């Protein structure tokens, strides 16, 4: 490998930063795709794949993308929860890949809750 | 999806590797493939996570969920439940002792919360065998800044301003050492990284090499530039094979990328690094002995001055720094000396890594700001003493250090405070002792070690440690006599005065320190033939309480030397002259019975009489 210049190292550094962005934890928001057996049966994995691929395609690295088990409201699956900044989490239901991407555009990027797909805002009490 | 949505950061420091981390990683990869998840979930090898008592362990990112005490059997269930179905597995999470609710997130676990990561900034996030991971974490940014926009004198100035002090044990101001070396006009100059970490129980430097070898390489290149050296050595003890392997890979990768070797980053600066392995001598942690070892001579210290900075390796000016010290350097150059000196206390800047071991709930490596109190370390990070036992003392500085007792729990941890208390920072070992630890036994352990490791050059160290060991052993065996304590004190002071190097000068510290705070325990051993902690075998006996024994035969069957007399439903008796004090009988006596106990001192005489009576007279039936 030829001796690298400062600029080449800089470029490599920028690329590598993107590769490990998942580990750094600099997130301004969070998307949780609800899986569990019911979720998967309803098609949550397709929603998850589409959403994740779209985040990757648009090079969005400041949103934490994760999954969880069943949220409880099985009849409304596939479901996702979106939390941006300090706003309370919003639960969306009966989703498809296109609806999820609309939520990505309007809520995750645009910061407007997509009311037509939203089920509720906030979380349950614990204890 | 091309990028991964979940990354499993599996700890592969030596501790977890010994616990089976590599087979677990293979099993994870296999199971992920079987479940069709191998394109979504990656398995990443990382260096030491620090929470070693919980190993083998891993952290699931991006969620930051911590899983510990992993076994091969756990893998299929874990993959199916968490990575396929999204349901984290509670039984693999960390649950504090005595509690029922697990703590899923690493950031919520008390062990991690109070730590401040500077040296260990990349732990658990990078694969130590991938230079690109290090680059992504702003690796080699400092080097670029130094090579292209700073003069050597300016680099030295920055380190002086930061207040960084040597992390190997002595705490000498690093900037001053660099300055002294820069000022030398003779060439060539050498740069040595000291990774001959020898204190029993200390493994901070090993962890840095295994988790983030490039941080040390970058630190070395910057140091070499600052003082004018073009040849470096990393002296690593042979007992660290994984650290050596990872360092070799890192050096090779750095060379490939033009970050090491000739014309680094095309700046015109040359510097290369060779690895030299130690051969099992504690004394080689001492700089002049280490230098002799590299030269191929017998590892013995020599008179200083001249200091290595003036005349060291092959009589040339040599800068020698500890690995942890060097790993701080890149961060100081990127974030600035002002930032660094804002952390810590007036005289002790920055952070220090400690290996928190012994009688403590949360065992492992921690990095904390200087000035944190011992109480915070033991109770908030360490989780307190197991089984509700009482804290007795914390031993810092390994065989060169001393004990900090309970009444000093609120002292800050920094160089000066520890020295004032009769101990020292040392390389960062922190061994926690409770009411069941005997200080005489601890002193004996450390003197045995240093006596064994003494190079033999100085009479005071060679013969002095022998004499110290003999007296302390006599006391532990129950043959202490009047005048022993005075003798130990006088001899200790003499050894400190007359020895040439740090090994000799500090080896009496465990004795002096334990005498200072626990004199009554020594006196109990000598005058009352009593070991209050019930540890010293010469002063303790195992005794079966006849009022509690139910005659179940368990201890009789377990005793490896047949020292227990008894029949079913008859009170059992231990024959003292056969007993080897192995402790098996106490272990097997049922918890509801607890008839076996250890006795010492006066109680031993009473029980001897009682045993005689019981043996000779009627055998009691239960």
């Amino acid at each position: 490998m030829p001796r690298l210049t400062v600029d080449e190292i800089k470029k490599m550094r920028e690329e590598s930063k993107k590769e490990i962005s998942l580990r750094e934890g600099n997130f301004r928001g969070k998307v949780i795709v609800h899986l569990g057996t019911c979720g998967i049966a309803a098609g949550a994995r397709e929603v998850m794949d589409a959403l994740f691929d779209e985040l990757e395609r648009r090079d969005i690295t400041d949103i934490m993308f994760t999954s969880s088990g069943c949220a409880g409201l099985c009849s409304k699956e596939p479901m996702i929860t979106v939390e941006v900044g300090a706003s309370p989490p919003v639960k969306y239901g009966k989703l498809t890949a296109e609806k999820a991407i609309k939520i990505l555009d309007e809520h995750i990027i645009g910061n407007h809750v997509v009311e037509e797909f939203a089920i509720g805002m906030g979380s349950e009490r614990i204890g | 999806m091309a990028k991964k949505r979940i990354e499993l950061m599996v700890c592969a420091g030596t501790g977890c590797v010994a616990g089976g981390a590599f087979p677990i990683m293979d099993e994870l990869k296999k199971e992920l493939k079987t479940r069709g998840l191998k394109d979504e979930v990656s398995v990443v090898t990382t260096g030491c996570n620090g929470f070693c008592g919980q190993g083998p362990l891993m952290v699931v990112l991006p969620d930051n969920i911590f899983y510990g005490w992993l076994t091969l059997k756990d893998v299929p269930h874990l993959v199916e439940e968490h990575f396929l179905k999204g349901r984290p597995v509670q039984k693999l999470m960390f649950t504090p002792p005595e509690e029922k609710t697990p703590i899923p997130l690493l950031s919520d676990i008390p062990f991690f919360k109070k730590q401040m990561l500077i040296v260990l900034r990349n732990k658990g996030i990078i694969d130590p065998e991938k230079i690109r991971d290090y680059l992504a974490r702003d690796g080699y940014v400092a080097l670029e800044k130094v090579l292209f926009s700073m003069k050597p004198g300016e680099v030295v100035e920055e380190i002086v301003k930061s207040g960084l002090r040597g992390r190997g044990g002595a705490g000498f101001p690093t900037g001053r050492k660099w300055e002294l070396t820069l000022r030398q006009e003779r060439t060539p100059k050498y740069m040595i990284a000291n990774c001959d970490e020898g204190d029993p129980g200390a493994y901070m430097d090993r962890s840095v090499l295994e988790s983030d070898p490039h941080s040390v390489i970058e630190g070395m290149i910057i140091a070499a530039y600052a003082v004018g050296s073009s040849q470096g050595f990393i002296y690593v003890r042979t007992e660290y094979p994984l650290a050596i392997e990872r360092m070799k890979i890192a050096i090779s990768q750095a060379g490939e990328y033009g970050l090491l070797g000739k014309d680094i980053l095309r700046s015109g600066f040359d510097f290369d690094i060779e690895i030299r392995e130690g051969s099992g001598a504690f004394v080689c942690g001492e700089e002049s002995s280490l230098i002799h070892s590299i030269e191929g001579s017998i590892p013995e210290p020599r008179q200083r001055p001249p200091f290595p900075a003036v005349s060291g390796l092959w009589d040339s000016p040599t800068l020698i720094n500890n690995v942890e010290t060097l790993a701080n350097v890149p961060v100081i150059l990127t974030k600035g000396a002002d930032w660094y000196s804002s952390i810590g206390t007036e005289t002790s800047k920055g952070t220090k890594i400690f290996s928190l071991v012994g009688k403590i709930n949360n065992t492992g490596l921690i990095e904390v700001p200087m000035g944190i109190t011992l109480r915070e370390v033991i109770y908030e990070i360490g989780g307190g003493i197991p089984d509700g036992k009482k804290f007795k003392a914390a031993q810092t500085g390994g065989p060169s250090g001393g004990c900090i007792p309970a009444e000093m729990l609120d002292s800050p941890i920094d160089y000066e405070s520890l020295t004032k208390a009769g101990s020292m920072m040392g390389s960062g070992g922190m061994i926690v002792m409770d009411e069941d630890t005997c200080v005489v036994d601890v002193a004996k352990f450390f003197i045995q070690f240093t006596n064994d490791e003494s190079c033999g050059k100085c009479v005071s160290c060679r013969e002095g440690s022998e004499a110290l060991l003999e007296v302390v052993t006599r006391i532990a065996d129950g043959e202490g006599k009047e005048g022993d304590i005075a003798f130990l004190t006088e001899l200790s002071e003499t050894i400190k005065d007359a020895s040439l190097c740090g090994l000799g000068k500090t080896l009496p510290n465990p004795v002096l320190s334990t005498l200072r705070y626990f004199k009554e325990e020594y006196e109990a051993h000598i005058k009352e033939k009593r070991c209050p902690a019930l540890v010293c075998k010469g002063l303790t006996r195992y005794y079966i309480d006849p009022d509690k024994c139910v005659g179940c035969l368990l201890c009789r069957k377990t005793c490896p030397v047949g020292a227990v007399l008894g029949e079913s439903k008859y009170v059992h008796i231990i024959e003292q002259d056969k007993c080897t004090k192995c402790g098996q009988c106490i272990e097997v006596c049922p918890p509801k019975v607890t008839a076996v106990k250890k006795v010492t001192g006066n109680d031993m005489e009473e029980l001897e009489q009682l045993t005689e009576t019981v043996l000779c007279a009627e055998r009691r039936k239960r």
Side-chain angles (χ1 to χ4, degrees), chain A residues 3 5-6 10 12-13 15-17 22-24 35-36 45 48-49 52-53 56 66 68-69, chain B residues 1 3-5 7 40 63 85-86 125 132-133 135-139 144 148 257 262-263 266:
Chain A
R3 181 153 250 104
T5 63
V6 169
K10 272 200 171 98
M12 207 170 276
R13 189 178 289 123
E15 283 166 15
S16 309
K17 270 196 210 275
L22 183 153
R23 304 177 196 172
E24 303 249 70
L35 299 176
R45 281 190 62 84
M48 179 173 80
D49 287 347
F52 186 77
D53 285 342
E56 198 191 343
T66 183
S68 80
Chain B
M1 43 178 74
K3 222 168 84 168
K4 304 289 191 275
R5 74 173 169 88
E7 296 213 274
E40 297 174 37
D63 308 64
K85 296 191 184 169
I125 303 186
R132 289 181 70 111
D133 280 10
L135 283 174
R137 299 281 293 168
D138 288 336
E144 186 196 313
F148 292 100
Y257 280 52
K262 292 240 174 299
D263 194 21
R266 305 205 191 174

Side-chain angles (χ1 to χ4, degrees), chain B residues 35-180:
Chain B
R35 293 295 193 157
L37 291 170
K38 78 169 172 60
D39 293 328
E40 297 174 37
V41 184
S42 69
V43 180
V44 183
T45 317
T46 66
C48 181
N49 161 278
F51 205 173
C52 308
Q54 296 288 312
L57 57 88
M58 73 161 140
V59 180
V60 179
L61 294 180
D63 308 64
N64 211 16
I65 292 179
F66 178 90
Y67 286 131
W69 286 346
L70 295 170
T71 65
L72 277 177
K73 289 204 314 271
D74 294 324
V75 172
H77 177 76
L78 175 61
V79 171
E80 178 177 333
E81 278 303 299
H82 188 167
F83 312 135
L84 183 64
K85 296 191 184 169
R87 303 192 282 236
V89 179
Q90 289 210 345
K91 86 167 172 28
L92 296 175
M93 294 176 186
F94 171 72
T95 309
E98 316 297 321
E99 288 183 36
K100 298 231 163 67
T101 324
I103 306 177
L105 299 186
L106 184 148
S107 42
D108 291 335
I109 297 176
F111 180 78
F112 296 104
K113 266 167 109 164
K114 279 213 148 171
Q115 293 193 42
M116 179 188 266
L117 305 180
I118 296 181
V119 177
L120 297 175
R121 56 194 175 276
N122 293 330
K123 77 166 184 189
I125 303 186
I126 64 168
D127 181 334
E129 298 181 19
K130 295 205 168 101
I131 188 173
R132 289 181 70 111
D133 280 10
Y134 183 70
L135 283 174
R137 299 281 293 168
D138 288 336
Y140 293 109
V141 166
L143 180 61
E144 186 196 313
K145 178 177 172 186
V146 160
L147 289 180
F148 292 100
S149 57
M150 290 178 84
K151 294 206 196 58
E154 290 170 338
V155 181
V156 173
E157 184 56 42
E158 195 70 358
I159 299 296
V160 169
K161 245 176 53 182
S162 72
L164 178 64
R165 290 167 70 167
R167 296 288 192 255
F172 188 82
T174 309
R176 212 164 354 131
K177 204 186 248 192
W178 287 26
E179 201 168 47
L180 186 56

Side-chain angles (χ1 to χ4, degrees), chain B residues 466-477:
Chain B
E466 196 75 32
L468 270 185
L469 181 58
E470 192 207 290
V471 176
V472 176
T473 307
R474 255 200 306 104
I475 295 175
D477 287 346

Side-chain angles (χ1 to χ4, degrees), chain B residues 188-250:
Chain B
K189 293 186 191 174
Y190 297 106
M191 204 271 130
I192 301 177
N194 184 346
C195 192
D196 193 59
E197 186 174 51
D199 287 0
Y203 59 107
M204 299 69 62
D205 294 348
R206 166 166 76 65
S207 173
V208 174
L209 250 51
E210 287 176 358
S211 314
D212 200 1
H214 285 282
S215 66
V216 178
I217 294 176
E218 192 178 359
M220 283 180 79
I221 308 174
I222 293 173
Y225 175 80
V227 304
S229 160
S230 56
Q231 178 61 52
F233 296 93
I234 298 182
Y235 189 89
V236 201
R237 53 186 307 204
T238 281
E239 295 93 326
Y240 285 173
L242 188 55
I244 294 173
E245 190 194 309
R246 295 216 168 124
M247 186 44 93
K248 281 187 178 154
I249 293 173

Side-chain angles (χ1 to χ4, degrees), chain B residues 443-485:
Chain B
K444 189 176 87 170
F445 168 77
F446 282 121
I447 304 293
Q448 259 168 349
F449 178 80
T450 37
N451 169 255
D452 195 37
E453 294 287 344
S454 165
C455 79
K457 184 167 178 175
C458 310
V459 171
S460 53
C461 175
R462 185 181 78 239
E463 302 299 331
S465 64
E466 196 75 32
L468 270 185
L469 181 58
E470 192 207 290
V471 176
V472 176
T473 307
R474 255 200 306 104
I475 295 175
D477 287 346
E479 288 155 35
K481 22 189 225 276
E482 199 63 47
D484 275 347
I485 292 180

